[in-house]
Amino acid sequence: RGTGGGDCLKLAAAGEVQRSSSEEAPRRASGKRWSVFISHYKAEAAMEARWLQGELQERLGGKAFLDSDDLRDLRELQESVRDSEVLVVLQSASVLRRPYVLLELYTAVQAKVPIVGVALTAGEAAFDFDGAGLFLEGLESTLDAANPGSSAVLTKAGVRLADASRVLASTVPHVISIALNQGASRNVLNA
């Protein structure tokens, strides 16, 4: 059963965990393993993802999923999204061209996992909000043109490109996003 984003963040802030009898991994009060799943494009936002992971773990008192630390098998990717209280997508210039990011976002929408955007707003990796919606609306033609072979990843995971386009184009452009400017003062970053 999905919960609203506020409820998820309250549970995450409580930092409560419990152990499932069938698993070694700690479970949160919500029953989920991860307080947050961080979705990102490593070539554009690896440093920001690592920084965000540390900040969120400290503030939420729970484990933040980051693929470079926590993914052992790509077949577990979708289950890790479903097992998260919230998905945070680091919005960078090419993030929506990455098939695994699209799969993570699609899975979150289907599983009713709330999505929060953290947007890079400066430099070469700045996220293009206007272009994102257009790219997703035409995903059947834009994805492989931008990143050849990417549609095969979604197909292999059982996701039809037309379905991904419809679902993501109707949700992702409406995700609440906050700007990330790591050059800002500590007070601004803490807010």
Side-chain angles (χ1 to χ4, degrees):
R1 186 182 103 171
T3 62
D7 293 336
C8 288
L9 293 177
K10 286 178 192 170
L11 287 170
E16 298 176 30
V17 296
Q18 60 188 25
R19 294 215 180 258
S20 166
S21 59
S22 64
E23 292 185 276
E24 186 92 19
R27 293 277 167 188
R28 304 202 32 92
S30 66
K32 305 269 182 146
R33 181 172 178 205
W34 308 101
S35 57
V36 62
F37 183 106
I38 300 171
S39 182
H40 69 293
Y41 176 28
K42 197 174 292 188
E44 293 177 340
M47 178 184 68
E48 292 85 351
R50 176 70 60 199
W51 177 82
L52 193 59
Q53 179 191 35
E55 291 292 312
L56 290 172
Q57 286 181 161
E58 181 180 321
R59 293 173 194 277
L60 299 177
K63 188 96 170 85
F65 180 97
L66 188 62
D67 59 359
S68 54
D69 289 348
D70 302 302
L71 188 62
R72 306 289 178 256
D73 184 336
L74 281 175
R75 294 173 294 194
E76 298 173 2
L77 183 68
Q78 289 176 281
E79 187 54 38
S80 295
V81 171
R82 289 185 202 99
D83 209 8
S84 299
E85 293 173 342
V86 64
L87 181 142
V88 171
V89 59
L90 261 168
Q91 297 166 307
S92 62
S94 302
V95 70
L96 297 178
R97 292 178 170 91
R98 308 308 300 167
Y100 291 106
V101 170
L102 294 173
L103 182 60
E104 293 159 1
L105 291 167
Y106 181 83
T107 302
V109 172
Q110 297 299 100
K112 297 180 177 26
V113 173
I115 300 170
V116 175
V118 176
L120 302 183
T121 57
E124 291 179 21
F127 187 67
D128 176 10
F129 285 93
D130 295 330
L134 293 172
F135 183 82
L136 292 170
E137 285 174 8
L139 200 58
E140 291 174 273
S141 60
T142 57
L143 182 58
D144 279 333
N147 190 358
S150 293
S151 63
V153 172
L154 295 171
T155 302
K156 185 176 179 181
V159 177
R160 290 185 23 195
L161 210 49
D163 293 338
S165 178
R166 180 184 45 78
V167 167
L168 296 176
S170 66
T171 55
V172 172
H174 307 290
V175 165
I176 295 173
S177 294
I178 58 170
L180 176 61
N181 177 359
Q182 287 193 288
S185 72
R186 188 73 180 157
N187 290 337
V188 169
L189 288 170
N190 285 335

